[in-house]
Amino acid sequence: MRRSLTALVFAFLSFIGIGLSAGVAGADPLTPAFAEICNGTSGCVTADISFSNRSATVVGNVFDDRNAGSTTAVFDFYTANGYYSTQTRTATNERKPFHFTEPGPVGGINLVRVGLIANATGAYTFVADVYKL
């Protein structure tokens, strides 16, 4: 119920044109980040993604509701040549923080596609595409 109310408030504020920062407090406003996004069935993910010359660093957490199964956050990394690799983080009945770096090839990672999997059903929910600026 609380998450539904929060989503409703954000939707209303967006509708009337009042924006709220999606980043982590104190973060550079140009840092690609997104606020907690939920799949509506099993859990949520929030992340701050930064890019270096070749790599991408992801900091955030994955949350799993108290339901059957667990929730997995999926991070697909892409280069200019296409798909490069995948990392996942899973939570079961908890909020689990993560902080990892995916080293990239020459040319570097320029896109991270984020999704959520409700492991009880296998349903995949697209969350965000985060591009290197």
Side-chain angles (χ1 to χ4, degrees), residues 4 30 35 44 51 53 71 77 85 87 95 98 102 106 110 120:
S4 299
L30 297 177
C44 309
F51 298 86
N53 187 30
T71 302
F77 299 90
S85 65
Q87 290 242 11
R95 180 172 301 277
F98 52 78
E102 179 67 18
V106 173
N110 59 14

Side-chain angles (χ1 to χ4, degrees), residues 64-95:
D64 180 60
D65 262 340
R66 292 191 173 141
N67 53 25
S70 57
T71 302
T72 299
V74 179
F75 302 91
D76 293 322
F77 299 90
Y78 293 84
T79 67
N81 295 324
Y83 173 79
Y84 177 69
S85 65
T86 298
Q87 290 242 11
T88 61
R89 297 296 184 269
T90 301
T92 305
N93 298 328
E94 65 184 331
R95 180 172 301 277

